[in-house]
Amino acid sequence: MRICIRRLSFSLLARKIVFTDSQTHSAIMLKVKKRLRLKYTLHVDLSTDNVPSSPERPDSGTDDDQLLQGTKVFNDSVHGHIEMHPLLVSIIDTPEFQRLRFIKQLGMCYFVYPGASHNRFEHSLGVSYLAGELARTLQSKQKNLKITKEDILCVEIAGLCHDLGHGPFSHLFDEAFLPKVRPDYKGKVRAVCNYLPEEGTELPINKNELLTILKRDTQEGFLEVVNEEGERGIVSKEMVEEIWSYKGRGKDKSYLYEIVANKRNGIDVDKWDYFARDSVHLGIPNPFDWKRYLRFARVLHEPDGSQICTRDKEITNLYDMFHTRYTLHRRAYQHRVNKILEAMIVEALKEANDYLLFPGTDGKMKKMSESIDDMEAYSKLNDHIMWTILCTTDDKLKKSRDLVHRILTRDLFVCVGQTQLKKKVASHETPMKLVSQLIDIENDRTEKEIFDRLSGRAKKTIKQSDIIVHIANFSYGMGEKDPVEHVKFYSKYDPNNTVEISKIRQESMALPREFSERFLRVCVKQTEPEVSEWVCEAFEEWCIDKGLTAKPGEFSAGISWTKKPSSLEERKLHAGNASKRLGDMYDSTPLSRK
């Protein structure tokens, strides 16, 4: 088989930009390329003007490119039978890609939803398939785009390889574990849009502005950054991208880079697959129809680059897509128990980091935190690390082993309460009108403020590190902004020009008016009821000082916030309402259709 290195080079550039170390992703892709060199005779040609055609197949009497010798058919649980080009099969059949079989798509969510057992492996196959479907649809409908077979294959490779850089438990490794063990784990990002927040700690940004990352896990979905003028603040991950020079295709084909990961408006095949796949395994309905979107997808050339647009009547379908994202985050990805489990496994990995070593290049042993600099060691990391910790008898790993045992025996950290970080204030422009304003809170500072409110007796038992504050952000993907406003539309009568969304969107009570909400949850590591009561009281005082309303957590669901039951009889009486109160709290969906 003759494989063009150029195709794999393009896949490195067209990959999904996730907030992992982009060098890690590139390094593991280079490792895959090296392995393919050893397996096949390669045609090395790095010039942009001399890309060979796809391998010729024996004459079969049909023009179907998918009948290439070596093509394989995969029976996918979501998309059915999907065909894979021989080059894709070659990438799949490498240890680096097979490693994705052992990384859960939703990490610790499997311990909350028993059906969430799917892995990054099948998701990557699905994204590759959808990427090819979208590229071929554009090719067949718009011949003037001159989309080649190589273009389609490169996009399929990009979809296939977009998650190769993930560590154990997916996003948990790079967003929660690495920042704790690698304080130097920073990088630069580039703003992809202009954004001027009204107030708060969000940093105003200009398109293409370079920002240095200071902290990656400040809040769920946000980065703490500093600009070149030294101004600090937080920015939504949806508004920035890893620094990356677009190579391989010119501006006339810039839309190809948005098929797998669309930083312009968030409509990409990666989301289409995980929305469909996660919904199936979680048992949560998915109203978005990606096949319908394909029928109306069309490339139009705008001053800011060529981009994929859709019909004006598809607004409701797109809102369904973004609402699905909100629903999955609220009910699964940021489920209260899932975030507790993540906090526990991160602590277990942190305790094990100095003692659990993996063989790297030339046999040198590497810590988990060092493995991102050595692909030989990193390739050996997957979710099995949890069982490695559990099965070891090393006394140095006792703390980690005990935490894993607590997870398996459901002896979890306790959530003592939560509050919504949003309050009504008068607008400066319209004083009589109440508008929503998000309150900006920092995790570390909040933990200290709650700890300071504990009594002297409580502080003898509880350390500040025993209190965990988690901020959950539920949005349509672009913070408080409406992502549909970043989508270009065309009309039935003028398919070659875009139309402003304000001219086609009518006022409707069925469309959402807000696109983001945030909740602050407080947990404590100890499970003793007395400890939970102390932290619960301190949290209530903190909420009162901030003008917020404290809501019960799992511990206090049946307890009055103004009077603690003193007798066993009172506790039984209050506990009778616990299930109903918890159900009312978690079934409410403030961003649902009105």
Side-chain angles (χ1 to χ4, degrees):
M1 179 185 292
R2 295 167 65 84
I3 302 172
C4 177
I5 292 293
R6 185 66 190 170
R7 294 171 187 158
L8 285 178
S9 299
F10 183 63
S11 76
L12 288 176
L13 300 168
R15 69 186 183 273
K16 176 180 184 288
I17 305 300
V18 293
F19 282 82
T20 57
D21 186 342
S22 59
Q23 293 180 348
T24 300
H25 188 108
S26 298
I28 203 166
M29 271 301 303
L30 291 172
K31 196 168 186 291
V32 172
K33 289 168 65 176
K34 182 179 179 181
R35 189 177 298 279
L36 291 179
R37 286 195 190 97
L38 297 176
K39 189 174 182 181
Y40 298 104
T41 301
L42 299 176
H43 178 75
V44 181
D45 186 354
L46 298 180
S47 66
T48 57
D49 300 324
N50 190 20
V51 180
S53 302
S54 299
E56 293 297 329
R57 58 173 174 80
D59 184 17
S60 61
T62 176
D63 293 330
D64 187 358
D65 280 340
Q66 295 306 307
L67 293 180
L68 286 166
Q69 184 177 2
T71 294
K72 287 191 176 180
V73 178
F74 292 77
N75 188 4
D76 183 67
S77 61
V78 173
H79 305 300
H81 292 88
I82 58 179
E83 294 179 343
M84 288 288 179
H85 187 281
L87 177 55
L88 302 180
V89 176
S90 300
I91 295 173
I92 292 170
D93 293 339
T94 60
E96 289 76 18
F97 191 88
Q98 291 291 320
R99 165 181 167 271
L100 297 180
R101 288 183 183 271
F102 311 109
I103 297 178
K104 288 283 185 291
Q105 173 77 11
L106 301 184
M108 298 303 291
C109 202
Y110 181 42
F111 287 83
V112 181
Y113 286 87
S117 58
H118 53 305
N119 304 302
R120 290 279 163 182
F121 179 87
E122 50 263 41
H123 166 62
S124 297
L125 298 183
V127 174
S128 178
Y129 164 71
L130 291 178
E133 288 293 291
L134 179 52
R136 272 185 283 273
T137 297
L138 296 175
Q139 180 194 49
S140 63
K141 292 197 301 185
Q142 294 180 269
K143 303 294 185 183
N144 61 309
L145 296 177
K146 298 180 180 179
I147 297 176
T148 65
K149 299 175 185 177
E150 284 75 22
D151 291 335
I152 295 175
L153 185 56
C154 285
V155 170
E156 288 177 327
I157 294 173
L160 187 69
C161 299
H162 80 282
D163 272 350
L164 274 180
H166 271 301
F169 307 103
S170 294
H171 292 288
L172 178 150
F173 186 81
D174 52 89
E175 292 184 353
F177 169 70
L178 282 180
K180 290 183 179 296
V181 295
R182 289 281 297 265
D184 61 328
Y185 179 67
K186 299 176 182 177
K188 285 183 178 289
V189 292
R190 189 194 310 276
V192 297
C193 63
N194 297 316
Y195 179 55
L196 182 63
E198 294 183 1
E199 54 183 273
T201 60
E202 286 194 73
L203 186 70
I205 56 176
N206 298 312
K207 188 172 182 179
N208 295 323
E209 179 181 10
L210 296 183
L211 306 166
T212 300
I213 300 173
L214 298 177
K215 195 174 182 182
R216 291 179 179 260
D217 63 340
T218 301
Q219 299 171 15
E220 191 77 30
F222 285 83
L223 301 171
E224 183 178 343
V225 298
V226 59
N227 62 21
E228 294 179 334
E229 285 73 38
E231 300 171 324
R232 299 177 58 161
I234 61 174
V235 295
S236 169
K237 291 180 179 179
E238 303 288 346
M239 297 184 184
V240 296
E241 67 179 2
E242 299 284 355
I243 295 177
W244 167 38
S245 299
Y246 287 83
K247 298 177 182 177
R249 299 299 184 273
K251 287 185 177 181
D252 59 323
K253 291 187 176 180
S254 59
Y255 55 88
L256 291 175
Y257 294 90
E258 298 180 352
I259 290 178
V260 176
N262 191 338
K263 289 296 178 179
R264 190 188 302 273
N265 52 46
I267 303 174
D268 53 54
V269 297
D270 178 38
K271 289 186 180 64
W272 295 358
D273 184 83
Y274 81 69
F275 284 173
R277 196 172 302 276
D278 293 353
S279 294
V280 167
H281 288 273
L282 292 168
I284 297 174
N286 173 29
F288 175 68
D289 185 356
W290 63 266
K291 292 182 179 179
R292 179 178 175 85
Y293 182 89
L294 281 189
R295 291 186 177 276
F296 297 104
R298 184 174 181 80
V299 173
L300 296 181
H301 304 286
E302 291 291 294
D304 55 343
S306 301
Q307 53 191 284
I308 301 173
C309 308
T310 189
R311 268 287 302 276
D312 46 8
K313 65 178 182 178
E314 289 304 294
I315 289 182
T316 302
N317 193 27
L318 293 184
Y319 275 118
D320 281 341
M321 189 193 85
F322 290 114
H323 187 74
T324 298
R325 181 191 188 279
Y326 160 80
T327 301
L328 290 171
H329 271 270
R330 185 178 179 87
R331 295 181 60 182
Y333 308 156
Q334 298 187 63
H335 188 284
R336 169 180 53 85
V337 178
N338 183 43
K339 302 311 291 187
I340 289 175
L341 289 163
E342 287 186 359
M344 295 180 74
I345 197 65
V346 166
E347 187 168 330
L349 294 178
K350 180 182 176 183
E351 292 291 339
N353 183 56
D354 292 336
Y355 310 110
L356 211 55
L357 305 178
F358 299 85
T361 305
D362 299 327
K364 295 180 180 179
M365 304 304 287
K366 299 287 184 179
K367 301 177 184 178
M368 281 184 286
S369 58
E370 298 172 337
S371 65
I372 60 175
D373 303 316
D374 188 317
M375 288 303 100
E376 190 66 34
Y378 191 73
S379 298
K380 297 177 175 64
L381 284 180
N382 55 49
D383 290 1
H384 288 173
I385 187 71
M386 180 175 175
W387 295 102
T388 301
I389 292 172
L390 185 68
C391 296
T392 184
T393 57
D394 191 338
D395 290 339
K396 295 177 181 178
L397 291 168
K398 186 179 185 307
K399 288 184 178 179
S400 296
R401 192 163 56 246
D402 289 346
L403 281 163
V404 173
H405 185 265
R406 285 185 64 178
I407 291 173
L408 297 180
T409 56
R410 214 64 176 183
D411 182 21
L412 309 181
F413 297 164
V414 180
C415 178
V416 300
Q418 72 171 11
T419 184
Q420 187 174 12
L421 296 179
K422 181 178 288 190
K423 62 182 180 181
K424 299 292 184 178
V425 296
S427 170
H428 298 295
E429 293 79 10
T430 54
M432 298 303 295
K433 180 182 179 182
L434 292 180
V435 297
S436 296
Q437 173 190 349
L438 291 176
I439 299 174
D440 294 297
I441 300 290
E442 293 182 5
N443 298 38
D444 297 341
R445 187 181 66 194
T446 303
E447 290 168 0
K448 183 179 186 305
E449 290 174 350
I450 293 175
F451 178 76
D452 290 341
R453 285 172 168 77
L454 293 173
S455 65
R457 179 189 172 197
K459 289 181 179 178
K460 292 180 180 179
T461 306
I462 307 172
K463 298 179 292 186
Q464 182 178 326
S465 59
D466 293 331
I467 299 173
I468 300 174
V469 170
H470 168 249
I471 297 176
N473 288 273
F474 310 121
S475 74
Y476 275 40
M478 298 189 73
E480 295 182 69
K481 302 176 71 174
D482 181 357
V484 177
E485 292 185 353
H486 295 265
V487 181
K488 298 291 186 180
F489 297 90
Y490 65 88
S491 69
K492 177 179 180 180
Y493 305 103
D494 189 7
N496 295 319
N497 293 292
T498 59
V499 59
E500 293 293 331
I501 187 173
S502 59
K503 296 180 179 179
I504 59 177
R505 181 172 58 185
Q506 299 179 349
E507 290 296 326
S508 172
M509 294 297 291
L511 296 180
R513 290 182 171 81
E514 293 188 20
F515 304 93
S516 175
E517 62 179 355
R518 297 169 62 207
F519 286 84
L520 181 144
R521 297 168 181 154
V522 177
C523 302
V524 63
K525 296 179 181 178
Q526 293 95 323
T527 58
E528 294 80 2
E530 188 177 39
V531 171
S532 297
E533 286 188 20
W534 290 336
V535 178
C536 178
E537 291 172 352
F539 175 57
E540 182 184 19
E541 292 177 8
W542 181 86
C543 286
I544 292 173
D545 290 345
K546 298 292 183 179
L548 301 170
T549 302
K551 297 291 185 182
E554 58 182 323
F555 154 75
S556 53
I559 297 177
S560 167
W561 282 80
T562 57
K563 177 180 180 297
K564 302 295 182 294
S566 56
S567 67
L568 179 60
E569 290 73 17
E570 287 185 68
R571 288 182 183 274
K572 288 182 178 179
L573 180 63
H574 283 282
N577 297 322
S579 179
K580 182 178 184 303
R581 291 178 62 180
L582 273 178
D584 292 343
M585 179 175 65
Y586 290 108
D587 287 342
S588 61
T589 53
L591 294 188
S592 60
R593 303 288 195 273
K594 297 180 179 179

